[in-house]
Structure formats: C-alpha cells, structure tokens
Coordinates of all heavy atoms in Angstrom, one line a residue:
V254 N 4.9 -5.5 -15.9 CA 4.1 -4.7 -15.0 C 4.8 -4.5 -13.7 O 5.5 -5.5 -13.1 CB 2.7 -5.4 -14.7 CG1 2.0 -4.7 -13.6 CG2 1.9 -5.4 -16.0
A255 N 4.8 -3.3 -13.2 CA 5.4 -3.0 -11.9 C 4.3 -2.5 -10.9 O 3.3 -1.9 -11.4 CB 6.4 -1.9 -12.0
I256 N 4.4 -2.9 -9.7 CA 3.4 -2.6 -8.7 C 3.9 -1.6 -7.7 O 5.0 -1.7 -7.2 CB 3.0 -3.9 -7.9 CG1 2.3 -4.9 -8.9 CG2 2.0 -3.6 -6.8 CD1 1.9 -6.2 -8.3
G257 N 3.1 -0.6 -7.5 CA 3.4 0.5 -6.6 C 2.8 0.2 -5.2 O 1.5 0.1 -5.2
L258 N 3.5 0.0 -4.2 CA 3.0 -0.2 -2.8 C 2.6 1.2 -2.3 O 3.5 2.1 -2.1 CB 4.0 -0.9 -1.9 CG 4.1 -2.4 -2.2 CD1 5.5 -2.9 -1.7 CD2 3.0 -3.1 -1.6
V259 N 1.3 1.4 -2.0 CA 0.8 2.7 -1.4 C 1.1 2.8 0.0 O 0.7 1.9 0.8 CB -0.7 2.8 -1.8 CG1 -1.2 4.1 -1.2 CG2 -0.9 2.8 -3.2
E260 N 1.7 3.9 0.4 CA 2.0 4.1 1.8 C 0.7 4.5 2.6 O -0.1 5.2 2.0 CB 3.1 5.2 2.0 CG 4.4 4.8 1.3 CD 5.4 5.9 1.3 OE1 5.0 7.0 1.6 OE2 6.5 5.7 0.8
G261 N 0.6 4.0 3.8 CA -0.6 4.4 4.5 C -0.7 3.6 5.8 O 0.0 2.6 6.0
A262 N -1.6 4.0 6.7 CA -1.7 3.4 8.0 C -2.5 2.1 8.0 O -3.6 2.1 7.4 CB -2.4 4.4 9.0
A263 N -1.9 1.0 8.5 CA -2.6 -0.2 8.6 C -2.0 -1.0 9.7 O -0.7 -0.8 10.0 CB -2.5 -1.0 7.3
R264 N -2.7 -2.0 10.3 CA -2.2 -2.9 11.3 C -1.0 -3.6 10.8 O -0.9 -4.0 9.7 CB -3.3 -3.8 11.7 CG -3.0 -4.7 12.9 CD -4.3 -5.3 13.3 NE -4.2 -6.4 14.2 CZ -5.2 -7.0 15.0 NH1 -6.4 -6.5 14.8 NH2 -5.0 -8.0 15.7
A265 N 0.0 -3.8 11.7 CA 1.3 -4.3 11.3 C 1.2 -5.7 10.6 O 1.8 -6.0 9.6 CB 2.2 -4.5 12.5
E266 N 0.3 -6.6 11.2 CA 0.2 -8.0 10.6 C -0.4 -7.8 9.1 O 0.0 -8.7 8.3 CB -0.7 -8.8 11.4 CG -0.3 -9.0 12.9 CD -1.1 -8.1 13.8 OE1 -1.0 -6.8 13.6 OE2 -1.9 -8.6 14.6
I267 N -1.3 -6.9 9.0 CA -1.9 -6.8 7.6 C -0.9 -6.2 6.6 O -0.7 -6.7 5.5 CB -3.2 -5.9 7.7 CG1 -4.2 -6.5 8.6 CG2 -3.7 -5.6 6.3 CD1 -5.4 -5.7 8.9
R268 N -0.2 -5.2 7.1 CA 0.9 -4.6 6.2 C 1.9 -5.7 5.8 O 2.3 -5.8 4.6 CB 1.5 -3.5 6.9 CG 2.7 -2.8 6.2 CD 2.3 -2.2 4.9 NE 1.4 -1.0 5.0 CZ 0.9 -0.3 4.0 NH1 1.2 -0.7 2.7 NH2 0.1 0.6 4.2
A269 N 2.3 -6.5 6.8 CA 3.3 -7.5 6.5 C 2.8 -8.6 5.5 O 3.4 -9.1 4.6 CB 3.7 -8.2 7.8
A270 N 1.5 -8.9 5.7 CA 0.9 -9.9 4.7 C 0.8 -9.4 3.3 O 1.0 -10.1 2.3 CB -0.5 -10.3 5.3
V271 N 0.4 -8.1 3.2 CA 0.4 -7.5 1.9 C 1.8 -7.5 1.2 O 1.9 -7.8 0.1 CB -0.2 -6.1 2.0 CG1 0.1 -5.3 0.7 CG2 -1.7 -6.1 2.3
E272 N 2.7 -7.0 2.0 CA 4.1 -6.9 1.5 C 4.6 -8.4 1.0 O 5.3 -8.5 0.0 CB 5.1 -6.3 2.5 CG 4.6 -4.9 2.9 CD 5.6 -3.8 2.6 OE1 6.7 -4.1 2.1 OE2 5.3 -2.7 2.8
A273 N 4.3 -9.3 1.8 CA 4.8 -10.7 1.5 C 4.1 -11.2 0.2 O 4.7 -11.8 -0.6 CB 4.4 -11.6 2.7
A274 N 2.8 -10.9 0.1 CA 2.1 -11.3 -1.1 C 2.7 -10.7 -2.4 O 2.9 -11.3 -3.4 CB 0.6 -11.0 -1.0
I275 N 3.0 -9.4 -2.3 CA 3.5 -8.7 -3.5 C 5.0 -9.2 -3.7 O 5.4 -9.4 -4.9 CB 3.5 -7.2 -3.2 CG1 2.1 -6.7 -3.1 CG2 4.2 -6.4 -4.3 CD1 1.2 -7.0 -4.2
A276 N 5.8 -9.4 -2.6 CA 7.1 -9.9 -2.8 C 7.1 -11.3 -3.5 O 8.0 -11.6 -4.3 CB 7.8 -10.0 -1.5
A277 N 6.1 -12.1 -3.2 CA 6.1 -13.5 -3.8 C 5.5 -13.5 -5.2 O 5.5 -14.5 -5.9 CB 5.3 -14.4 -2.9
S278 N 5.0 -12.3 -5.6 CA 4.3 -12.3 -6.9 C 5.1 -12.3 -8.2 O 4.7 -12.6 -9.2 CB 3.4 -11.0 -6.9 OG 4.2 -9.8 -7.1
G279 N 6.4 -11.9 -8.0 CA 7.3 -11.9 -9.1 C 7.3 -10.6 -9.9 O 8.0 -10.4 -10.8
F280 N 6.4 -9.6 -9.5 CA 6.4 -8.3 -10.1 C 7.4 -7.4 -9.5 O 7.7 -7.4 -8.3 CB 5.0 -7.7 -9.9 CG 3.9 -8.4 -10.7 CD1 3.0 -9.2 -10.1 CD2 3.8 -8.2 -12.1 CE1 2.0 -9.9 -10.8 CE2 2.8 -8.8 -12.8 CZ 1.9 -9.7 -12.1
A281 N 8.0 -6.5 -10.3 CA 8.8 -5.4 -9.8 C 8.0 -4.5 -8.9 O 6.8 -4.3 -9.2 CB 9.5 -4.6 -10.9
T282 N 8.6 -3.9 -7.9 CA 7.8 -3.0 -7.0 C 8.5 -1.7 -6.8 O 9.7 -1.6 -7.0 CB 7.5 -3.8 -5.7 OG1 8.8 -4.0 -5.0 CG2 6.8 -5.0 -5.9
G283 N 7.8 -0.8 -6.2 CA 8.3 0.5 -5.8 C 7.3 1.1 -4.8 O 6.3 0.4 -4.4
R284 N 7.6 2.2 -4.2 CA 6.8 2.9 -3.2 C 6.0 4.1 -3.8 O 6.6 4.8 -4.6 CB 7.6 3.3 -2.1 CG 8.3 2.2 -1.3 CD 7.5 1.4 -0.4 NE 8.1 0.2 0.1 CZ 7.5 -0.6 0.9 NH1 6.3 -0.3 1.4 NH2 8.1 -1.7 1.4
V285 N 4.8 4.3 -3.3 CA 4.0 5.4 -3.8 C 3.3 6.1 -2.6 O 2.8 5.4 -1.7 CB 2.8 4.8 -4.7 CG1 1.9 6.0 -5.1 CG2 3.4 4.2 -6.0
G286 N 3.4 7.4 -2.6 CA 2.8 8.2 -1.7 C 1.6 9.0 -2.3 O 1.8 9.5 -3.4
L287 N 0.5 9.0 -1.7 CA -0.7 9.7 -2.2 C -1.2 10.6 -1.1 O -1.9 10.3 -0.2 CB -1.9 8.7 -2.5 CG -1.6 7.7 -3.6 CD1 -2.7 6.6 -3.7 CD2 -1.3 8.4 -5.0
S288 N -0.7 11.9 -1.2 CA -1.0 12.9 -0.1 C -2.4 13.3 0.0 O -2.9 13.7 1.0 CB -0.1 14.1 -0.4 OG -0.5 14.7 -1.6
E289 N -3.2 13.0 -1.1 CA -4.6 13.4 -1.1 C -5.5 12.2 -0.6 O -6.7 12.3 -0.7 CB -5.0 13.8 -2.5 CG -4.4 15.0 -3.0 CD -4.9 16.3 -2.2 OE1 -6.1 16.3 -1.9 OE2 -4.1 17.1 -1.9
F290 N -4.9 11.1 -0.1 CA -5.7 9.9 0.2 C -6.7 10.2 1.3 O -7.9 9.8 1.2 CB -4.7 8.8 0.6 CG -5.4 7.4 0.5 CD1 -5.2 6.6 -0.6 CD2 -6.1 6.9 1.6 CE1 -5.7 5.4 -0.7 CE2 -6.7 5.6 1.4 CZ -6.5 4.9 0.3
V291 N -6.2 10.7 2.4 CA -7.2 11.0 3.6 C -8.2 12.0 3.2 O -9.4 11.9 3.5 CB -6.4 11.4 4.8 CG1 -7.3 11.8 5.9 CG2 -5.6 10.2 5.3
P292 N -7.8 13.2 2.5 CA -8.9 14.1 2.1 C -9.9 13.4 1.2 O -11.1 13.7 1.2 CB -8.1 15.2 1.3 CG -6.8 15.2 2.0 CD -6.5 13.7 2.3
A293 N -9.4 12.5 0.3 CA -10.3 11.7 -0.6 C -11.3 10.8 0.2 O -12.5 10.7 -0.2 CB -9.6 10.9 -1.6
Y294 N -10.8 10.3 1.2 CA -11.7 9.5 2.1 C -12.8 10.3 2.7 O -14.0 9.9 2.6 CB -10.9 8.8 3.2 CG -11.7 8.1 4.3 CD1 -12.4 7.0 4.1 CD2 -11.8 8.8 5.5 CE1 -13.1 6.4 5.1 CE2 -12.6 8.2 6.6 CZ -13.2 7.0 6.3 OH -14.0 6.4 7.3
D295 N -12.4 11.5 3.2 CA -13.4 12.4 3.8 C -14.4 12.9 2.7 O -15.6 13.0 2.9 CB -12.8 13.5 4.5 CG -11.9 13.1 5.7 OD1 -12.3 12.1 6.3 OD2 -10.9 13.8 6.0
A296 N -13.9 13.3 1.6 CA -14.7 13.8 0.4 C -15.7 12.8 -0.1 O -16.8 13.1 -0.4 CB -13.8 14.3 -0.7

C-alpha cells in the first residue's frame, strides 16, 4: 500500500505532525493535488 499526501493549507505544526506520522508508518508515499478540494468544501 502506498499513501498519497494531499496538498493543502494547514498550520505548520499540524502538517509536520502528519508528515512525521506517515514517515514513521513504513508505507511508501507520494504527493497528491486535488484542485477541486476547495470547491467541494463549498459545495
């Protein structure tokens, strides 16, 4: 299983904690952009 880290705005400490948890998980990772994310929030 590979985990895609979704790009998006978040407080620096929270983003760092998420990245650290995924890095320690042992799963392969990559980056994911979801351009419809903010429109989906509004919708």
